[in-house]
Amino acid sequence: MKLAYLDCASGISGDMLLGALIDAGADLAEIQRGIDSLGLSGCRLTVQEVKKRGFRATHLVVEHEPEHAHRHLHHIVAMIDGSDAIAPPAKQLAKRVFTRLGEAEAKVHGTTIEKVHFHEVGAVDSIADIVGAAIGWTLLGIEAAQSSPVPTGHGYIQIAHGRCAIPAPATGELLRGVPLAELDVEGELTTPTGAALVSTLAGSFGPLPSMRVETIGYGAGTRDYPQANLLRLMIGEAEPGLPSEQIWVIETNLDDASGETIGWCIGRLRDAGALDVFSSAIQMKKDRPGVKLTVLCEASRKQHVERILFQETTTLGVRSWPVWRSTLPREKHVVRTEWGDIDGVLSIVDGERKRFSPEYESCRRAATEHRVPLQVVQEAAVRAFRPEDA
């Protein structure tokens, strides 16, 4: 499978992605032909090689005549559908990106996607960036994509609606659920167009996946920052690897909570969807024995987990940080034993070897019903597993 990895170390914008695609081998003439078919007056794509902090990259500029049009989504969709020079997959991709933009703009302005006006993102250069990126993406045959966490920068920018904080409202809405990277740089590192593209194209966010890299393209941003203002696009064949995901570790130290309180809190955290909860004995100030309570959870449950810790314990503060975890593929499986059917989990090791782990609750029920030791049931379940039947 042809896989792309978006390394957004300095954020992402439409022109940076299109420049990286062209740098990676997408045919500029073919992309220009698609842009010409949209009926945008005098719109030309020009590229040049530049250096950012000593690193070379392709800088793309959209040249066009001045205009003051404020388009709706249906205007842009009609332009794309009316083209006879853009392949259907590229058309569909471009329309998906614009639809995401429309939904975000409608949300932040309190209107509907049919009524929302595209201001900056409805201008010629944004249309050329998005449609051009969709064409380039299709030309390179990319089938799937992953991205690094995305930095936004900080400070203020001037938009059609006035001065606003970075990230711009639409950018923030588009990046909802996307892992953000901390980067102390004053400036708009990720634009609404870039946010719409990366949130549409990337199926997941995290470190570089298992892949055999064949091509690397570099797209340059216009501004200069303390870091190299580049987007790196790595393209190649996906290699088999363990699925990984970002989760959060949340911890707090307790030296004045009873065992009952800690046990109750652990139960509440598990009921709230925590992936794991455990306690560790620690030494705290004034040589007091204490307990460190550790919770693993998904990003969407982080605030809820922290709220439970504050509600159910005496803690005055918690600490948290994101981590990446890799997991074996797994599925439910049942084995038949002399003590009845036992539920379990079947995991796949090295893509082939299957390993069966009986579930505790299923073994406990069988041991209670038949009045035999729990270990006897567990060992019988392991012996009953037959890989050829799984």
Side-chain angles (χ1 to χ4, degrees), residues 256-275:
D256 56 353
S258 68
E260 291 90 343
T261 296
I262 294 171
W264 169 261
C265 182
I266 288 174
R268 278 210 61 193
L269 290 165
R270 286 182 174 145
D271 290 342
L275 298 170

Side-chain angles (χ1 to χ4, degrees), residues 5 11 13 21 31 34 38 45 49 58 62 65 67 79 84 97 130 135 139 156 189 227 253 269 297 316 322 390:
Y5 183 71
S13 62
L21 288 163
I31 296 172
L38 298 175
L45 306 180
E49 185 174 286
T58 293
V62 181
E65 299 175 3
E67 67 161 23
M79 293 167 61
D84 59 358
V97 175
I130 292 174
I135 296 171
L139 288 174
Y156 295 88
L189 300 181
Q227 80 285 357
N253 293 354
L269 290 165
C297 70
L316 298 177

Side-chain angles (χ1 to χ4, degrees), residues 61-331:
V61 177
V62 181
E63 299 177 347
H64 60 90
E65 299 175 3
E67 67 161 23
H68 302 284
H70 293 318
R71 299 177 173 90
H72 290 84
L73 177 62
H74 67 87
H75 294 134
I76 298 173
V77 169
M79 293 167 61
I80 296 170
D81 284 338
S83 168
D84 59 358
I86 302 176
K91 286 184 176 182
Q92 292 301 318
L93 179 53
K95 288 190 289 186
R96 282 172 52 208
V97 175
F98 275 112
T99 298
R100 280 189 63 82
L101 268 169
E103 291 170 346
E105 293 280 2
K107 178 76 176 293
V108 299
H109 294 300
T111 185
T112 64
I113 193 171
E114 293 81 14
K115 294 180 180 179
V116 69
H117 282 278
F118 283 169
H119 294 286
E120 288 87 353
V121 294
V124 171
D125 49 355
S126 292
I127 294 174
D129 285 342
I130 292 174
V131 175
I135 296 171
W137 197 265
T138 305
L139 288 174
L140 293 178
I142 299 170
E143 300 172 83
Q146 297 183 34
S147 172
S148 68
V150 180
T152 64
H154 62 82
Y156 295 88
I157 54 170
Q158 193 74 24
I159 63 174
H161 297 279
R163 186 170 182 260
C164 70
I166 296 170
T171 303
E173 187 64 33
L174 287 159
L175 294 177
R176 185 190 293 269
V178 171
L180 303 182
E182 182 178 356
L183 185 58
D184 186 12
V185 172
E186 187 167 348
E188 187 182 32
L189 300 181
T190 296
T191 64
T193 302
L197 285 163
V198 72
S199 61
T200 302
L201 296 171
S204 61
F205 295 81
L208 186 67
S210 299
M211 63 184 298
R212 186 173 64 255
V213 177
E214 298 170 351
T215 307
I216 302 177
Y218 296 88
T222 301
R223 299 186 178 224
D224 290 320
Y225 295 115
Q227 80 285 357
N229 191 16
L230 304 173
L231 172 71
R232 180 168 60 163
L233 176 65
M234 308 174 76
I235 305 172
E237 288 295 320
E239 294 284 354
L242 295 177
S244 63
E245 61 178 335
Q246 187 185 61
I247 61 172
W248 282 80
V249 178
I250 304 172
E251 286 186 349
T252 189
N253 293 354
L254 304 167
D255 64 359
D256 56 353
S258 68
E260 291 90 343
T261 296
I262 294 171
W264 169 261
C265 182
I266 288 174
R268 278 210 61 193
L269 290 165
R270 286 182 174 145
D271 290 342
L275 298 170
D276 198 5
V277 189
F278 56 92
S279 61
S280 309
I282 57 174
Q283 196 81 10
M284 296 182 63
K285 63 182 180 181
K286 298 183 180 179
D287 296 324
R288 296 174 185 165
V291 172
K292 178 171 68 176
L293 200 56
T294 304
V295 188
L296 307 183
C297 70
E298 297 167 342
S300 61
R301 302 183 187 272
K302 178 175 179 290
Q303 289 186 345
H304 189 40
V305 163
E306 291 176 344
R307 189 179 304 115
I308 292 173
L309 288 170
F310 284 119
Q311 288 176 345
E312 300 292 354
T313 74
T314 54
T315 187
L316 298 177
V318 301
R319 54 193 175 273
S320 60
W321 61 92
V323 297
W324 294 95
R325 72 165 185 171
S326 299
T327 57
L328 289 173
R330 68 194 76 179
E331 59 187 34

